[in-house]
Amino acid sequence: MTRADWIAADWGTTNLRLWAMSAEGRVLHEAQSDDGMGRLKREEFEPALLRLAGDWLAPDRVTQVFACGMVGARQGWVEAPYRSVPCAPTTPGGFVEAPTHDPRVRVHILPGLSQSSPADVMRGEETQIAGLLANEPGFDGVICLPGTHSKWVRVSAGEVVSFQTFMTGELFALLSTQSVLRHGIAGDGWDEGAFLDALSDTISRPERMAAKLFSLRAEGLLHGLSPETARARLSGLLIGAELSGAKPYWLGQEIAIIGAEAVSAAYGAALRAQGAAPRLVPAGRLTLTGLVTAHAAKRSQT
C-alpha cells in the first residue's frame, strides 16, 4: 500500500489529478478523476480528494496536500486571492488553507496571479511557469501557454512581469460546434497550408476576419471546401488575430511554448511563419515540478 509523505494536486475545471509524493519529491503513485471544480459543490471537494487519495493517508499523522488550479477559484473549495504582478509565480506566503474535516489531511491551495491594467487573471498557469523556472532558473523572455484561454507571459529575473489572455481556444470551440460553421468543420484532420494562408490573411487584413469566417461556410456550400481544410483555416484565422494582438510580447523575444502537443505545434508553426524562433517545452511534468517547488518552499519556512 502506498503511503504518501505529501500529495500534489492539479485541480482544474474538468479533472482532478493527484500524485503521491515522497519527502524527496519522487512520485510514488498517481491517480485522476473527472471530479473537476465545475461539477463539485463546496462541501464535495474533500470527499472527491479522499476518494482518490484515501489509501495514501497514514492513520496516525497529517499528510500535507498542495493544490493548484481552479480549486482556488471563487466557485472552488476556498478562494485563494490573486497575487499582483510583478511577482514570483509561486510563493508560500500566498497559500490558503482549505477547511477539512478529516484530521489526516491539511490542504494548501496556491493562489493565481492578477494584473490591474489591463485587467487580467490566471489560475493554474502560474504553477507551470514555476515548473519551467525550476528547470531553467535563468529564463528571460516570453512564455506562451496556448489553450482554451491562451496566455502570453513576460518573465524576467524569476518574476512574472506582465501577461495577456486571449480567448482563442474558446472561440474556436464555440464557432466550430455552435455556430453555422459547425456544418462544415471536421472534428480532426489538418491542412497545414490552409492554416498558414489563413493566418497570413488575418495578420495582414484583421478587419476582414469576420467576413473570412463566413466564407468558410459559403465555400463549403459552393465549392466543396473540405471539413479538414475548413478546420485548419478557422484555426489560422483565430490564431492570426491572437498573434497580431500579442505582437508586443513575442516580437524579438525568446519564446517558450507550453501546452498540449498539437496546439503547441500549431502555435510554433504560426510564430515561425512570422520570423520568430519559438521552442516547444513539453508540458507533461511542469505542473508537478511547480508543485514540488512550492512544497519545498513551504517546508523551508517551517
Side-chain angles (χ1 to χ4, degrees), residues 33-44:
S33 75
D34 59 0
D35 284 325
M37 180 276 293
R39 62 176 296 175
L40 299 175
K41 298 178 181 177
R42 186 151 289 179
E43 65 273 12
E44 295 174 330

Side-chain angles (χ1 to χ4, degrees), residues 135-160:
N135 293 335
E136 304 180 36
F139 179 86
D140 195 305
V142 169
I143 301 173
C144 172
L145 299 107
T148 303
H149 299 150
S150 299
K151 308 285 183 184
W152 291 84
V153 185
R154 185 172 288 114
V155 174
S156 182
E159 292 190 335
V160 173

